[in-house]
Amino acid sequence: MTAYTTADSPLGELLLVGEETQDGMTLTSLSMPGQKNAPAVRPSWSRDPDGFAYVTRQLTAYFAGELTEFEIEFTPGGTEFQQLAWSALEKIPYGTATTYGELAERLGVPRGRVQALGAAIGANPQLLVRPCHRVIGADGTMRGYAGGVERKVHLLTHEGVLQPTLL
């Protein structure tokens, strides 16, 4: 059965969607307001804040600066190539960033398939907790982020990759 809840965050209200299993809840999606291709709550889904308590506690600790690595069970999904890309995202340490090219090299993805890697990263349904925001352009620019480039900058600043700007 599909369940959902919402969680307040500095990025806006997050929508968490998951599947109930014998062992608890697996996270299918974590999305943000205005996110490209974000799921919408369906009438058949049940609201279950308690089922996502372990995720919301981790999110709260992350935004408080007390957690640098998530321990969340994800609902299996995606193509084999997407799963390869998403698994690589989970290995990018907190407080660091990598480029699409560096990630492709680590994965043995040919140079001509870097765009396909970018598309796989862009299809990541678990924003923030599967840290696609840590992948940037080779020139240091903030390439696309489904949650919006301004949120990517916010997350990288929160993690100490970027310096806060003074206004």
Side-chain angles (χ1 to χ4, degrees):
M1 176 148 108
T2 303
Y4 77 96
T5 194
T6 57
D8 289 330
S9 83
L11 305 175
E13 187 177 67
L14 305 176
L15 174 63
L16 288 71
V17 180
E19 294 295 324
E20 293 181 36
T21 69
Q22 291 178 336
D23 300 324
M25 191 75 69
T26 60
L27 186 67
T28 304
S29 170
L30 188 154
S31 58
M32 304 172 188
Q35 176 185 321
K36 180 175 141 187
N37 299 319
V41 175
R42 297 183 182 152
S44 61
W45 295 356
S46 65
R47 187 173 186 86
D48 185 3
D50 293 339
F52 291 96
Y54 75 104
V55 177
T56 55
R57 276 193 302 273
Q58 289 182 62
L59 289 168
T60 299
Y62 169 82
F63 285 115
E66 300 163 357
L67 181 79
T68 61
E69 195 172 311
F70 292 98
E71 293 183 21
I72 295 171
E73 186 73 30
F74 298 120
T75 308
T79 67
E80 189 175 320
F81 186 70
Q82 287 172 329
Q83 289 173 10
L84 176 73
W86 299 342
S87 176
L89 294 175
E90 294 171 28
K91 294 177 178 98
I92 304 169
Y94 179 96
T96 68
T98 191
T99 66
Y100 292 93
E102 289 168 346
L103 195 58
E105 190 174 309
R106 256 185 261 152
L107 294 173
V109 173
R111 191 157 186 81
R113 298 233 28 224
V114 173
Q115 267 192 312
L117 178 62
I121 292 168
N124 170 24
Q126 290 104 355
L127 294 189
L128 175 62
V129 295
R130 187 176 270 154
C132 52
H133 61 275
R134 295 180 187 153
V135 183
I136 61 175
D139 60 359
T141 57
M142 301 297 115
R143 300 284 187 224
Y145 183 62
V149 172
E150 65 285 342
R151 287 188 177 120
K152 184 173 189 164
V153 169
H154 179 94
L155 291 169
L156 291 173
T157 302
H158 171 73
E159 294 183 4
V161 174
L162 300 175
Q163 294 300 310
T165 56
L166 302 173
L167 299 178

